[in-house]
Amino acid sequence: MTPSDSPATSRRVLALALPMTLANVTTPLLGFVGATVIGRLGDAALLGAMALGAVIFDAIFWSFGSLRMATAGLTAQAVGARDAAEVDRTLARALAAGLLVGLLIVLLQGPIGRAAFSLSGASPAVIAGLSAYFHIRIFAAPFTLANYAILGSVLGRGRTDLGLILQVAINLTNIVLTLVFVLWADMSVAGAGLATLIAEAAGAGLGLILLARLGSRPFAVPFRVVRDPLALARMLSVNADVMVRTLLLVGCITLFSALGARSGDVVLAANAVLWNLFMIGGFFLDGFATAAETLCGQAVGARDEARFRRAARLSLLWCLAFGAVIAGGFLVAGNAFIDAVTTSPEVRAMARLYLLPAALAPLMAAVPFAFDGIYIGATWTRAMRNLMLAASALYGLALLAAHEAGLGNGGLWLSFLILLAGRGLSQALAYPGLTRGTFRAPASALPDGAAPGLRRA
């Protein structure tokens, strides 16, 4: 039985979700090691440069995270339809898009860097270190985006074990090279940038080798097929929808941080501590979103509505179960976590005041996380984008009402919970109609170039 033939079971959901959860855990480890290594140089400006550089590149690359998600959804549908040629065509188009965008980022590094440095408002000493880091790491852009395409293809095939191998290989290579270049070769922050460049390039090479062992030949796809207008339009449309949704989500999170900062340094620091709790919960929830992408996408490609509904239901149930366990764990161990992260009595006291809403956030996020995976797997990306727009508007109204009521930081956390609840509820309400439209539409209603059974959301 091939992965695309596997029934949607709890064991299958967990087998897909847990490897990606482990892969996600290696990412903050990389950031911790990088900060520790640079911190050992004893120059606060260099540490600040490293931190700012990480924020800048997170903002750049997270904006194109849609490439990974769109590739996963389209690949899963091709796998479910048993169309191996379309799997390779999807990967070829994603690689071409990633390499093209990556090269544009490299070519535009001058204006991108100047804008980022200006917005940072950092001191000249920090900017000097940041510039050294930025203008080396920027050359990793084509490899980073190629890795997004490769990871999406791997996940769409249901091989989250290979996704784990790729993510761990990239992050461990980066960690080792950072130690060598910074501490042994005395290259300072430039060494950290070079380590990332080499790690991303090595990851892309390893990913292509693993895909070749699976029988994938993306570079054998004729260029005229890669640039097929209808197929490219579909892929770019899905990417654009997911990108808009991601930017809206980033904007909501940024607004949360900015409004917290207006309440003073203690509130800002307390929220930062509590936000780490939410991010830890997100590592687990994201694994179940990945499982939903794979299982639901393959079911759509196979035109199997019963399998799709079962995959969606199990993904939701397991995501909710883990969200509840995480929330309970945070309530029990939250005070100890706060004390471990900060030694400031004021910050500790402030964080404890808002531990309850912070602990509830992973539970509230479980439904939208799972539905994001379901919607991406089914490529209901236009609906996902529109629902995110509506939830963002609801978030804005909640923030305004909380401000008028003088609720302070408590109102900020309440508004964030309303954002999560609004996303999940709206996705749940739209789900039945989207499912009927996908599986019960006549063939004549499908757009040219669409996968079997797929309608644009």
Side-chain angles (χ1 to χ4, degrees):
M1 179 180 290
T2 65
S4 63
D5 296 324
S6 301
T9 64
S10 291
R11 175 178 290 185
R12 181 73 175 141
V13 170
L14 292 171
L16 289 169
L18 295 182
M20 290 314 298
T21 297
L22 294 175
N24 290 338
V25 170
T26 65
T27 300
L29 176 62
L30 170 61
F32 173 77
V33 171
T36 301
V37 170
I38 296 298
R40 289 181 62 86
L41 300 179
D43 188 335
L46 293 178
L47 185 58
M50 183 75 173
L52 272 177
V55 170
I56 290 169
F57 282 105
D58 282 349
I60 293 172
F61 294 135
W62 200 14
S63 300
F64 295 100
S66 56
L67 184 63
R68 198 282 296 165
M69 291 180 273
T71 304
L74 294 171
T75 299
Q77 290 179 13
V79 169
R82 298 175 180 273
D83 190 346
E86 182 60 22
V87 171
D88 275 356
R89 288 194 290 265
T90 298
L91 175 57
R93 293 183 189 109
L95 284 171
L99 290 171
L100 178 60
V101 173
L103 289 173
L104 284 174
I105 291 173
V106 171
L107 291 173
L108 296 173
Q109 63 178 286
I112 292 173
R114 285 191 294 271
F117 301 164
S118 176
L119 289 172
S120 72
S123 67
V126 171
I127 293 297
L130 176 58
S131 179
Y133 177 80
F134 177 88
H135 289 294
I136 291 178
R137 184 176 171 181
I138 195 75
F139 284 94
F143 302 111
T144 299
L145 297 183
N147 282 325
Y148 284 178
I150 291 168
L151 182 60
S153 185
V154 166
L155 298 182
R157 299 162 197 254
R159 296 301 304 270
T160 54
D161 56 333
L162 297 182
L164 171 62
I165 291 172
L166 285 173
Q167 292 297 94
V168 170
I170 292 171
N171 289 334
L172 285 183
T173 301
N174 202 338
I175 288 171
V176 171
L177 292 180
T178 297
L179 291 170
V180 171
F181 292 154
V182 176
L183 297 182
W184 182 74
D186 197 25
M187 293 177 65
S188 187
V189 290
L194 181 60
T196 300
L197 168 58
I198 295 174
E200 293 287 353
L206 175 61
L208 291 174
I209 291 171
L210 292 176
L211 286 171
R213 290 178 67 87
L214 294 177
S216 189
R217 300 290 184 271
F219 298 112
V221 177
F223 181 67
R224 60 178 176 77
V225 175
V226 173
R227 63 181 180 85
D228 176 73
L230 289 174
L232 274 178
R234 181 181 177 224
M235 185 192 76
L236 293 175
S237 175
V238 170
N239 272 278
D241 290 337
V242 179
M243 181 181 290
V244 170
R245 164 264 184 191
T246 301
L247 291 174
L248 285 167
L249 186 57
V250 170
C252 290
I253 294 171
T254 301
L255 184 58
F256 178 93
S257 299
L259 292 177
R262 292 177 63 182
S263 298
D265 292 347
V266 173
V267 169
L268 176 62
N271 283 350
V273 171
L274 295 173
W275 189 256
N276 284 321
L277 280 175
F278 179 69
M279 293 300 292
I280 291 170
F283 296 149
F284 291 91
L285 301 180
D286 190 60
F288 290 97
T290 299
E293 288 176 23
T294 301
L295 294 173
C296 292
Q298 291 180 358
V300 167
R303 299 291 289 137
D304 191 334
E305 182 177 356
R307 180 171 148 199
F308 176 84
R309 289 183 180 276
R310 179 170 174 77
R313 183 170 65 254
L314 286 174
S315 298
L316 279 163
L317 288 174
W318 276 107
C319 209
L320 274 169
F322 267 74
V325 170
I326 293 165
F330 288 169
L331 287 173
V332 172
N335 287 331
F337 177 85
I338 292 167
D339 291 345
V341 173
T342 178
T343 59
S344 168
E346 295 84 1
V347 174
R348 285 178 173 178
M350 184 64 68
R352 286 189 173 91
L353 285 177
Y354 303 106
L355 176 59
L356 177 60
L360 290 176
L363 178 58
M364 301 295 289
V367 172
F369 262 83
F371 269 123
D372 277 351
I374 294 165
Y375 276 51
I376 290 168
T379 53
W380 296 337
T381 52
R382 182 178 296 177
M384 186 171 71
R385 177 200 66 192
N386 293 342
L387 294 173
M388 185 66 220
L389 278 166
S392 299
L394 177 65
Y395 179 54
L397 291 173
L399 286 172
L400 182 61
H403 175 72
E404 292 294 326
L407 297 180
N409 197 50
L412 187 59
W413 277 101
L414 177 60
S415 298
F416 182 65
L417 294 179
I418 289 173
L419 168 67
L420 296 175
R423 289 197 67 218
L425 179 60
S426 62
Q427 288 170 315
L429 291 174
Y431 168 79
L434 291 168
T435 303
R436 287 192 299 271
T438 295
F439 289 99
R440 302 176 193 179
S444 60
L446 298 175
D448 293 337
L454 178 67
R455 287 184 71 188
R456 286 295 304 276

